Amino acid sequence: MKLSLQKITKIYSNGVKAIDSISVDISPGMFGLLGPNGAGKSTLMRTIATLQLPDAGKVLFNGQNIFSDKTTFRRHLGYLPQEFGVYPKESALGLLNYFAILKGISSKKERAKIIDKVLALTNLQEVKKKRVSTFSGGMRQRFGIAQLLLNQPKVIIVDEPTAGLDPAEKTRFLNVLRNIGSENIVLFSTHLVEDVKELCKDMAVLNKGKLLSQIDPKTATEGLKGKIWETALSEPEMVRTSVPFLKLSDRYNENNTLVYRIYAEICPSEVCTPVNPKLEDYYFLMLTQA
Amino acid sequence: MRNAIFQHEIGTWLKSPLFYLLTGSFFLFSLLTMLGTGGFFDGPINSTEAVKLLNSPYSLSAISFLFAKFLMFVVAIFGGFSLYRDYRNKTHAILYSFPISKSFYLIGKLGSTLFLLAVISLVTVSGIWLGEILLGTANPKIGTASSLGYVIALFVYLIPTLIIVGVLVFVTVGLSRNILSGFVVVTCFVLFQLILENIFFEQKVLLALLDPFGQNAFHLATSDWDFTWQNSYRLPVNLIVISNRILWLLMAFLIYRVFFRKFDFQYDAVWQYRKDPHEKKAAAAYPKVQTDPIRDIHLDYSTTAKIKCLLQLMIFDFKSIIKNWMFLMLCFFGLATVFFIQLKVTNTGEFNLFPITRLFLGAPLSIYNLIIIVSTFIFSGMLINKPRQYKMNLMLDAAPVMDWQLLLSKIGAISLVQLVQLLVFIFIAISIQIINGYHNFEFGLYLFHLFVLVFPVLFVWNVTSQFVHTLTPNFFLGLFILAGLWLGAQSLEQLGIQTNILKYNFLPVLEYSGFNGYGHQLKGHLLLISYWLVFGLFLAIGLSIIWYRGSISSIKEMLIIAKSRMNKPLTSLLILLAISFLWLGHRIYSLENVAKTPNTANPKQTLIDYKKEWKKYSRITQPKITEVDLRIDLFPGEESFTARGVYKLVNQSSEIIDTIFIRTGFDEITELNWLGNAQLLREHAGMKSYLFKLTDSLNPGDSVALSFDIRSTPNTIFSRNSNVLKNGTYLRQDILPRLGYQFIEHELPLTNSWVHKNNYFHRDASYVNIHTVISTSEEQIAMAPGELISEKKEGKRNIYEYRSPVPVKFNFSFHSAIMEVIEEKYQETEIKIYYKKGHGFNTKMMLDGLKSSLDYNSKLFGQYPYSQLRIIEFPHTEASYSATLISNNIPASEVLFNINTEEMDENINLPFYVMAHELTHEWFGNQVMPADAEGAKMLTESITEYITLSIYEEFLGKANADSFLNIQSNRYHKGRKKEKGKENPLSKVSSYQEYISYGKGAIAFNAISKSIGKEKFNLLLQNYLMKYKYQTKYYPTTKNFIQLLKRNTDKEEHKLIDYWLTQTNALN
């Protein structure tokens, strides 16, 4: 099973290139799409979910162009958009039943069975008769997962699903996702590096519509071994060294000192200490180099 | 301190194209209405008649009510939008956390709403004002400008109404946070007025106070205004009007106050935390992680499954509508309106009708149908926009459901809603019938009318609405376009466009009669339905092409998607539908215009030319028809007839006649045969007029025969040319040839020296003898004037022979129908009532009316000259009057037969009254024919009404007679208010002033009779009758009658006679 994006491009009517010739191959497992706000992640997600026509390029699922027969592809698709609402006055049960009908589960018995299962999976059993419009944010996201699981999708697209969730909810959510991601393609977009680090076996970094890199998280951090440094020197001070470096990020340490993380092939200064590379370093490196 | 919210709202609307579109549209609409009504597009107006001024304060206020109704659409948009905007965009989440006061916020919002409504009212009225300027004071419909009139129309009627409804909409949207509720509120408000008018139509003051539009207060304030006052500068405002305005403004203020107190800066709506029956505590603990995989679910995408899915989606959408409180409110008001309109239709105030099915399918169904259309526009928009509105569109669009399933589910859901609404209508109608004790349920008629004639039209509106709402994501714009389409279809005729193919989904009214069903026009109607259905299908396919899922960034992308969908089968289907639509349109257009000659294609010009060329022949003396011999063969199955006849024409003048002017029936093909006695001099085929030169001149006293053959013009699918019906034929004498130029002056002034020469009814005959042989199909009975001499059956035809035993007016009727008969011999007269089966409710009262009239009139005015007297029911579609006397026949409308006499208490016993009245015309109107002069109706109708009153009193009692007089008084006052010209005294009453000849006439003669004594008055009537009975040389005028009155009464009584008969005075 493979999802293959070939030179996908999308240009909006105001001239903005939301996606710029992106090519990437995605195999079963969790695939993280990382990028800052406005990178084009949602546009890419919507395109793969057949909800937006690309201006150029193809998306192949098992060798078939998904845009030539969108309905067939949608049979294997589960999609959770970044922002979604629900019909008022509809219970979780009622709305899931509606979605199940849409997804082609024509037997009432089978619908009841699958709905039970997805409610259990997402721990919404106790509130199944409650109106979805009254759910908390986390419960709503779980409902979103529940609906996408109804048709046992092979391709799951979740667009920034953990945005706005508290740590407990987020953990629950990611656990559910991990569970279902083992045998299927799960394309998961986020701007939070730690989500990708935890879950994904493969990832891509996007910025300003362009694909900056595709790599697995482990390899990404491995490649930075011995090249990441920390220093308390400010950038203007660092500039005096002769070794080229790139500032990746900064943070305040426990002593309230501003500490910089930098990338350099060799140690740029004696005041720089080597540190273990993190995925964030790779991410920021990609963004900085772009 | 400036209110920033107010300014911001105004600023937002001023940047919105929709504001300018609405304002501009209403300006144009008001301008064009003014110009159209003023005849701007029609050329010069004939200003000899008095016309109603369009810019009098009365007229300006009256027209403001029309615009108030249309502006309700704007109120629905503007009224709640300022508040709704904050909820829709969730900006209220931020705004409500600001340090602003409730009053600052709400006053800003409401103030901007009302300000915009005031602006649009001003713009609308300025359109009227500009229309006045453009029409100019040279236009007879424009008087001297009255700015006060505009002030009253705007500030007493229009703006307060918009404020009242605007506040209501504002509050409703504020509470519900749903913009659709505004539309529902204004619809219910309009219906509320209708309901009030139907409940309180007799309690005028209460109605005036309760009407939120102020319209009934206006009517009450001007109830006694005659034409002159309506054209004057009088202001149509009185205490009742002011009270109504203050009452409703106060009500609006109170509603706002209650809302103000309830309102709070809360994120959720006031009703948000209503108890959810299934509310349970949400799971607080950490979840157990489920690890069992999901297996063995069968995903079915077969065709059967898809259809099943479609049905399930349809039910889901259907339920979402019918459970919606706005829909339920609309239905409630709609059904209440139907109920009260039905009450009004069956209880006109003068009489009650049985709640027969036909009555429900008239006005009540029209209103209800409109409500179904309004709910279709609103709720189809809701279905289309709902996924986007609730941000579920992306999830739904990503589902593996086909586009056609989503589309058809929405179309199907709305169709289901419409079907349910129609079924509810049937249920309500039948319930009302049962409550009224009427059990003749015509289920077949209900089902056919509603599901074959009405539903297809609703279906096309359904598809149209979905198409428009899909194309225009702006809900208001979609509604505006749909309202424009609907209104436009109704208004095209005003612009001179007659063809039905351009009136979008608009079908002409199809009348139903118990006799003849829908008549031959049903075919044309069904053809039109097919035409629009084909277009509806075309639109449905078009909808499936433009339908998009997910998001599109531009129209270009939409077109790309549309283009990609255009596969071969779809394109072929579209082409096929387009061709069918065009072919049907062409066919309909051809059928509409069949047999149109250049003359008939432009009838206005034809008439002008004809009058110019042929008027000179009006001065030629003509012979009189004295004998009529007819053979008429009716073919009800083919809706046609043939006739053959011979006239004997006698020169009753003192001049020699050598030229004869003949006119033949417009809807008939007539061949004239002079048997060699005349040559055709000239003809005008368009006006069916012919000038003949006699071979031998006709000296005074001489006669000549004219024979003729007539056949009916075949009906076309859209026009009825033959008056022969499949059942219930009612032909009149206008199928026969007539003599003389027709556009001559009638009702001559009393001072004209020729006034006694001609009778009021016809110039080409005095009294005639008529002999008719009439045949019809074997299941029907045929009737003609005169007494039945013989009847026989020949093959599959029934043949009847009739002859008048005494000379009669040239006033004939020929009937054929499947009838039941009631017979009774009374005195020397055999009375028969012919009626349709099932319409026999009132035959006894009709018989009583005839017998009473026979008794009374025979005693006073001489024996009834016929041994046979017939009442013959005719379909209500054939004439608007309830009955008339034609020799010894009284054709009577089926309306009269359907009067619910059991419900009459204080009302007049109409079947009795009508028959008594009509039979009295045998003496006054037939035996005595008045001259063709002003006041002729006094000598026919007024006298007859007085005699009917006397019969009423003698046979039914004084109380009933007093009711009779009361009704006549109301009739007079109502008619006086509508009078467009000058109110004439009774002695000079015009034929169209029925409120005077009937209403005032009865009261006047009653008063005179009371004054001089009934016996004396009856004696005077006898004298009058004896003097002028069967007169042909000298026809009497009101002058003769008044002279007779005065000659036989004391001088003190002359003042009273003059007061009632020769002066104009308003009755108290």
Side-chain angles (χ1 to χ4, degrees), chain A residues 39-268:
Chain A
K41 303 189 297 297
S42 293
T43 305
L44 185 62
M45 299 291 221
R46 275 199 297 270
T47 306
I48 300 170
T50 68
L51 296 174
Q52 238 171 330
L53 269 184
D55 293 307
K58 281 192 274 197
V59 178
L60 304 175
F61 177 63
N62 290 342
Q64 296 293 321
N65 186 347
I66 66 172
F67 293 106
S68 58
D69 187 357
K70 287 185 245 181
T71 310
T72 304
F73 176 67
R74 286 171 185 159
R75 291 176 189 172
H76 309 295
L77 176 69
Y79 174 60
L80 180 64
Q82 182 178 5
E83 236 190 277
F84 71 93
V86 288
Y87 288 154
K89 299 181 190 174
E90 290 288 343
S91 65
L93 202 60
L95 214 41
L96 283 174
N97 187 59
Y98 180 61
F99 280 122
I101 292 170
L102 287 173
K103 293 203 177 201
I105 307 171
S106 58
S107 155
K108 200 173 178 182
K109 261 193 194 153
E110 290 199 341
R111 281 202 303 274
K113 202 162 136 187
I114 186 70
I115 288 169
D116 247 350
K117 269 254 158 52
V118 301
L119 284 171
L121 203 70
T122 52
N123 196 37
L124 293 171
Q125 279 278 24
E126 285 190 16
V127 294
K128 64 183 178 186
K129 289 186 183 173
K130 201 164 173 272
R131 288 180 184 175
V132 185
S133 52
T134 62
F135 282 5
S136 67
M139 287 165 70
R140 199 181 271 232
Q141 286 298 99
R142 281 187 272 141
F143 173 82
I145 286 286
Q147 64 80 23
L148 76 79
L149 291 175
L150 287 169
N151 59 322
Q152 300 170 267
K154 294 195 172 64
V155 178
I156 293 166
I157 299 172
V158 280
D159 191 354
E160 304 225 24
T162 59
L165 296 186
D166 68 45
E169 282 288 357
K170 189 167 153 182
T171 307
R172 274 182 232 143
F173 181 87
L174 293 176
N175 284 341
V176 169
L177 215 53
R178 199 200 304 270
N179 211 28
I180 59 178
S182 50
E183 291 166 13
N184 307 304
I185 293 173
V186 179
L187 184 55
F188 163 72
S189 82
T190 181
H191 59 268
L192 303 172
V193 182
E194 60 265 28
D195 291 347
V196 173
K197 194 166 58 176
E198 292 293 323
L199 291 172
C200 301
K201 66 165 188 41
D202 201 357
M203 68 176 232
V205 180
L206 232 62
N207 193 20
K208 292 181 184 169
K210 287 190 190 323
L211 180 73
L212 300 179
S213 81
Q214 179 183 1
I215 195 166
D216 74 87
K218 209 173 177 183
T219 311
T221 46
E222 291 270 326
L224 291 177
K225 269 202 169 120
K227 294 176 185 173
I228 304 295
W229 315 87
E230 269 192 1
T231 178
L233 282 181
S234 69
E235 199 165 349
E237 289 164 327
M238 283 295 301
V239 163
R240 285 191 224 122
T241 75
S242 56
V243 176
F245 71 93
L246 283 171
K247 183 188 135 189
L248 299 178
S249 62
D250 53 46
R251 63 172 177 84
Y252 281 99
N253 66 8
E254 56 276 4
N255 299 326
N256 228 20
T257 312
L258 192 61
V259 175
Y260 297 94
R261 281 176 86 92
I262 58 175
Y263 167 81
E265 291 288 331
I266 53 171
C267 180

Side-chain angles (χ1 to χ4, degrees), chain B residues 872-909:
Chain B
I872 307 163
E873 186 181 359
F874 64 80
H876 75 98
T877 49
E878 299 311 286
S880 56
Y881 47 78
S882 53
T884 188
L885 179 74
I886 298 177
S887 308
N888 60 328
N889 292 334
I890 302 179
S893 170
E894 68 180 293
V895 173
L896 196 62
F897 282 79
N898 284 320
I899 286 174
N900 186 357
T901 46
E902 285 165 28
E903 288 293 313
M904 295 184 310
D905 35 41
E906 297 151 26
N907 287 340
I908 196 165
N909 182 339

Side-chain angles (χ1 to χ4, degrees), chain B residues 57 61 148 151-153 156-157 217-218 221-222 225 234-243 245:
Chain B
S61 294
L148 214 50
V151 167
I152 297 292
V156 173
Y157 293 111
F218 165 82
T222 58
W225 285 28
R234 280 171 202 273
L235 300 177
V237 180
N238 67 358
L239 188 62
I240 296 276
V241 170
I242 302 296
S243 305
R245 304 284 77 196

Side-chain angles (χ1 to χ4, degrees), chain A residues 71 74 102-103, chain B residues 309 313 396 399-403 405-406 549:
Chain A
T71 310
R74 286 171 185 159
L102 287 173
K103 293 203 177 201
Chain B
C309 170
L313 294 179
L396 292 173
V401 63
M402 308 289 286
D403 292 346
Q405 286 172 285
L406 289 174
R549 290 161 77 156

Side-chain angles (χ1 to χ4, degrees), chain B residues 183-223:
Chain B
F183 290 92
V184 173
V185 163
V186 302
T187 309
C188 293
F189 223 67
V190 173
L191 295 177
F192 177 65
Q193 186 198 39
L194 264 174
I195 292 170
L196 282 178
E197 285 173 351
N198 282 283
I199 299 177
F200 298 114
F201 60 89
E202 289 194 335
Q203 289 107 312
K204 301 260 184 263
V205 174
L206 192 59
L207 178 61
L209 286 173
L210 293 178
D211 173 11
F213 290 88
Q215 194 168 0
N216 284 282
F218 165 82
H219 286 314
L220 188 62
T222 58
S223 60

Side-chain angles (χ1 to χ4, degrees), chain B residues 407-408 411 415 455-468 485 504-505 527-545 573-574 577-578 580-582 584:
Chain B
L407 264 174
L408 284 180
I411 293 175
S415 287
F455 179 70
V457 177
L458 291 175
F459 176 79
V460 175
W461 279 124
N462 175 7
V463 177
T464 307
S465 183
Q466 309 253 9
F467 186 90
V468 169
L485 260 177
Y504 189 82
N505 202 26
L527 188 62
L528 272 173
I529 287 175
S530 310
Y531 173 70
W532 289 115
L533 261 180
V534 166
F535 187 75
L537 288 172
F538 184 87
L539 265 188
I541 307 286
L543 182 59
S544 72
I545 292 169
L573 185 58
L574 271 177
L577 286 170
S580 307
F581 178 68
L582 290 171
L584 276 169

